[in-house]
Amino acid sequence: ILLYFISLIVAMTCGFFLLKKKLPNMRDIKNINDHRKYKEWTKSALPLALVSGIYVISQQIDILMLGLLSSVENIAIYKISAQMGVFVIFGQQVLRAILAPKFSVLWHTGELKELQRITVFSSRISFTASLLITCIFYFFGEYFLNYFFGKTYLLAYEPLLILCFGQMVNAACGSTGILLNMCGKEKESIKGLIGGLCVNIVVGASLIPIYGVIGAAIGTALGAITWNVCLWLIVRKHIGIKPTAFGV
């Protein structure tokens, strides 16, 4: 925990100095007191804050439900599978930082064909990476669990594969969440996230008492699939492009 805290402080400090270096001198900026701009920023900031909050809850609700409905041992086992499952969307997470400003520029300049091309291309990269990592976990997951965590944590193998499947669907659907946010559709993004969170809670609460970590993994995977399918439909309707790796 101490090392994690130190790493956060170091990252925050580096980010602060890099941001300060890149930002223009505030003395050189005129008309900063345009109250209309403040209202626009506030309207955008609140939905984005809600999106971030719902996403954080979605990432932790399975652990909370395991704590309420199962044993401490199951929490430890599930936590390992959840942490390993994050590697499946590593490619997508890396691409998001690169894609976000591109999405915003292309949307606001009306270049929908280029937006379609970049979205599909990035989705295919994310899905290919997720498929490769899932295959590695399928064939060598038990070996990794035994080598790094011990025989006790071999029970994390099945929930890991279930979570990998959910993350593969996430990768295949593309960066729909960041696309909606960058195109000014934050409120629509919230709807999909709430739908996925509700599915996660209902399925998890139903299955965890019976199946333990497997039930938690199924709930999380179905929640992720639900929110990604919802965001895919919203992108099709409001942005007018086909964002998935399969061009649909």
Side-chain angles (χ1 to χ4, degrees), residues 98-168:
I98 303 170
L99 293 172
K102 278 279 187 185
F103 286 163
S104 181
V105 170
L106 292 174
W107 170 253
H108 288 97
T109 55
E111 298 180 60
L112 291 183
K113 287 186 178 180
E114 182 64 12
L115 183 61
Q116 168 76 58
R117 188 189 69 81
I118 289 179
T119 304
V120 172
F121 180 69
S122 63
S123 297
R124 287 173 178 169
I125 293 175
S126 299
F127 179 69
T128 302
S130 70
L131 181 60
L132 177 62
I133 295 171
T134 298
C135 288
I136 291 172
F137 284 153
Y138 179 80
F139 290 108
F140 303 105
E142 289 180 308
Y143 170 78
F144 291 147
L145 288 167
N146 184 43
Y147 183 81
F148 289 106
F149 306 106
K151 290 183 179 180
T152 304
Y153 290 96
L154 288 174
L155 294 172
Y157 178 68
E158 290 184 4
L160 170 61
L161 294 183
I162 294 170
L163 292 172
C164 284
F165 177 75
Q167 296 288 28
M168 281 180 61

Side-chain angles (χ1 to χ4, degrees), residues 159-229:
L160 170 61
L161 294 183
I162 294 170
L163 292 172
C164 284
F165 177 75
Q167 296 288 28
M168 281 180 61
V169 175
N170 182 0
C173 287
S175 301
T176 49
I178 198 71
L179 177 61
L180 288 168
N181 294 342
M182 291 299 101
C183 294
K185 308 294 181 181
E186 306 91 352
K187 294 179 181 178
E188 300 300 325
S189 185
I190 291 172
K191 297 176 184 177
L193 289 172
I194 290 176
L197 178 61
C198 290
V199 169
N200 191 348
I201 293 172
V202 171
V203 174
S206 302
L207 297 183
I208 287 174
I210 304 171
Y211 300 107
V213 290
I214 299 293
I218 292 172
T220 301
L222 288 178
I225 292 169
T226 300
W227 110 52
N228 277 283
V229 170

Side-chain angles (χ1 to χ4, degrees), residues 76-87:
I77 291 168
Y78 181 79
K79 189 68 175 176
I80 295 298
S81 61
Q83 288 177 331
M84 290 181 68
V86 172
F87 284 105

